[in-house]
Amino acid sequence: MVFRGTITDAPDFDASADAETLYNAMKGIGSDKEAILDMVTSRSNAQRQEIIAAYKCSFGKDLIEDLKYELTGKFERLIVSLMRSRAYHDAKEIHDAIKGAGTNERCLIEVLASRNNTQIHEMVAAYKDGKLFCHFKKADDVLGTRDESGVVDADLVEQDAQDLYAAGEEQWGTDEAKFIMILGNRSVTHLHMVFDAYEKIAEMTIEDSIKNELSGDFERLMLAVVQCIRSVPMFFAKRLYKSMKGLGTADNTLIRIMISRSEIDMLDIRECFRLRYEKSLYNMIKDDTSGDYKRTLLNLCGGDDDLAGEFFPEAAQIAYKMWELSAMTKVQLRPSVRPAPDFDPAADAQALRKAMKGFGTDEDAIIDIVAHRSNAQRQEIRQAFKSLLGRDLMKDLKSELSKNLERLIIGLMLTPAEFNAKMMRKAMEGAGTDEHALIEILVTRSNEEIQAMNAAYQDAYKKTLEEAIQSDTSGHFCRILVSLVQGAREEGPADCVLHDFKELADACNAESDDMEMKFMSILCTRSFPHLRKVFQEFVRCTNKDIEQIIKKEMSGDVKNAFYAIVRSVKNQPSYFADRLYKAMKGLGTDDRALIRIMVSRSEVDLFNIRKEFKETHDESLHEFIQVETMIVSQSLCLLTLTVGLLSAAEGFFFL
């Protein structure tokens, strides 16, 4: 096995000398914490065990007990955990996860899903009282029994894929034992091939099937097993990110992972972290922790990948697999708003009029109607309102509603083309330009949607959208937007992939202007399936990821535009989930972005966006909107939730 850790055996190691150094650092009043952390983080775990023995022999004292006495808080937990053997550390984590009133299922899942046979057997031996498996009885028979030979039987691959499909998607209910047997026993190499075969049969990933068919802790356990089979470093990168994002830090998780992986694959975890989150693990730890605790964690991390600027070769292999998965996955786009059954536009028109006439406005009644009709049905309501009542529904709504609630209701009542045109106008009017909104709209709309938007823009504002863009932006960014607004992106499968890969590779060595023009000629005109294959070939041949090239070599709006294209090509719902998160996190909410995305995607792929939001941020979009918009307006919160989330009666579950 190739060493990919950050902590190695110290050269010229002398356990007795180290024991004396630690003794001197702790004797007297106070302790030399810096000397302790430097010593502990520059020795391997095996060497630390020798230091413990030498300390006992030289001073007749228990080193771990002395460290507990001298140190405090998170720093003490981290140093003491580093001093324990790896098997004992895992066993203690399991014990702490199940003791007391509650059980930390996520800790159990993380440890049990990510350890190999040897590590599990050693952990079981270290765990004396036999409680290890009591909370996961369904997994008892398979822990530590995975085939590690790497041998693959092609016939068994097809059989396992078919058995998994039959155990879940093909029947009512789920044969959980079959999932356990296959996912828990087969070799990693074998299961990679099973997952590929499964996607061809089910037309969805094994992860999506598990989410559909399983639930609760067992679902989380099986997902963790699959994620570890896909990539153990990526699994831990996600766990580390979730331990530090938002307010507060899950210190136990952070400590456990940094210790357990520091001598195994921390370099790979760092790479995966930067690939996925656009920030080095080193810098996230630096921003999220403090004091001696921070310095110890940074020593375990081993280096700042942002500062280094280059990737280890293995990172490109991970990126290649990510692109391959993106290219193979057939995503079924699922909306959150559907046509209402038993629709009566005349009755809805009368109900809306009743909600608005007289003193005050019945906002709840308006929300209930508008948010539970498809856009096509809303257009029929507009026509019925005019023909029956002789009034303009849009004008009445504008006069009765205000601020963000008015924007959201009016946005829902416009046709998609009118709404897109209006959003483009809003992004360019006034003193400043909302470049992110321009990028988001033009990158994510189809040719047909862009052409309809162009017509609606000219009809509403007596000026072409291209002219508006040219008068409001400049340089290469203007050229990119103008290229996109043509609505002439190629459609269809990949074609001439090698030619475009070579063009991009050559462009990376060109001057900045030439590079950006060449990127524009490919990224703004080729079909998304074609670009997926081009980006995958780029990784395979250059050992670099196209996203990182864009972030490193470009800047400003040009960088943002190209990066948005790449993210949309890879996974458009994930791109929108990220946009929603950025619109609401921190102080204040970007209400225009929130409204724009919720309205425009509610009948396209908002269900998919919800899933990606939950996967990335470990929090439901429902909860996030509730917290972030409540301070603005209860009505806005209610309407946004209604547009964004299907009720259980419509056959889906809340994420």
Side-chain angles (χ1 to χ4, degrees), residues 26 32-33 197 210 226 247 259 360-361 421 429 463 537 588 636:
M26 291 187 284
D32 187 345
K33 295 177 182 177
I210 289 171
V226 170
L247 295 175
I259 288 174
T361 303
E429 69 181 2
K463 182 179 184 179
E537 191 67 18
L636 174 63

Side-chain angles (χ1 to χ4, degrees), residues 580 594-602 606 625 640 643-644:
L580 282 170
L594 176 61
I595 291 169
R596 182 174 64 247
I597 296 170
M598 298 298 287
V599 170
S600 65
R601 310 314 295 184
S602 62
L606 196 49
I625 291 173
T640 312
V643 172

Side-chain angles (χ1 to χ4, degrees), residues 21-140:
T21 299
L22 287 174
Y23 179 79
N24 290 332
M26 291 187 284
K27 74 179 182 180
I29 299 174
S31 54
D32 187 345
K33 295 177 182 177
E34 194 163 335
I36 293 170
L37 75 87
D38 283 343
M39 169 73 70
V40 172
T41 58
S42 60
R43 304 295 186 267
S44 68
N45 189 272
Q47 290 175 332
R48 292 180 209 128
Q49 305 316 305
E50 291 187 51
I51 294 171
I52 290 173
Y55 194 91
K56 182 73 172 178
C57 181
S58 298
F59 306 105
K61 303 180 74 174
D62 187 314
L63 175 56
I64 288 182
E65 290 303 316
D66 280 2
L67 288 168
K68 285 181 180 179
Y69 180 80
E70 292 290 333
L71 309 177
T72 59
K74 293 177 284 189
F75 180 55
E76 179 243 317
R77 263 187 284 164
L78 179 52
I79 292 295
V80 167
S81 295
L82 280 165
M83 294 306 301
R84 295 192 175 105
S85 70
R86 282 184 289 188
Y88 183 85
H89 177 65
D90 278 349
K92 188 175 189 307
E93 289 296 303
I94 293 290
H95 177 267
D96 291 347
I98 60 180
K99 74 177 181 180
T103 302
N104 184 348
E105 288 86 359
R106 293 184 186 277
C107 171
L108 293 175
I109 290 167
E110 175 202 303
V111 174
L112 298 179
S114 63
R115 300 319 192 240
N116 62 32
N117 291 348
T118 300
Q119 290 165 337
I120 287 176
H121 293 317
E122 290 174 349
M123 175 174 57
V124 171
Y127 198 105
K128 301 295 185 185
D129 62 5
K131 294 178 182 176
L132 179 58
F133 302 131
C134 63
H135 286 267
F136 282 90
K137 290 181 179 178
K138 291 177 181 176
D140 283 4

Side-chain angles (χ1 to χ4, degrees), residues 190 228 315 451:
H190 176 90
C228 287
Q451 289 159 8

Side-chain angles (χ1 to χ4, degrees), residues 93 107 110-111 239 252-260:
E93 289 296 303
C107 171
E110 175 202 303
V111 174
R239 292 283 291 153
N252 287 343
T253 302
L254 179 57
I255 290 169
R256 182 173 60 250
I257 296 173
M258 295 302 294
I259 288 174
S260 65

Side-chain angles (χ1 to χ4, degrees), residues 135-196:
H135 286 267
F136 282 90
K137 290 181 179 178
K138 291 177 181 176
D140 283 4
D141 296 334
V142 295
L143 287 168
T145 61
R146 185 178 302 285
D147 175 11
E148 294 181 343
S149 67
V151 176
V152 176
D153 181 335
D155 293 334
L156 187 57
V157 166
E158 293 299 324
Q159 185 62 54
D160 282 348
Q162 195 64 56
D163 286 349
L164 285 172
Y165 182 65
E169 293 292 338
E170 201 173 43
Q171 68 175 28
W172 181 261
T174 306
D175 182 354
E176 295 179 350
K178 186 64 71 175
F179 275 82
I180 292 172
M181 189 276 290
I182 294 174
L183 296 182
N185 280 291
R186 304 294 194 248
S187 73
V188 170
T189 307
H190 176 90
L191 285 171
H192 276 292
M193 298 178 70
V194 170
F195 296 162
D196 291 344

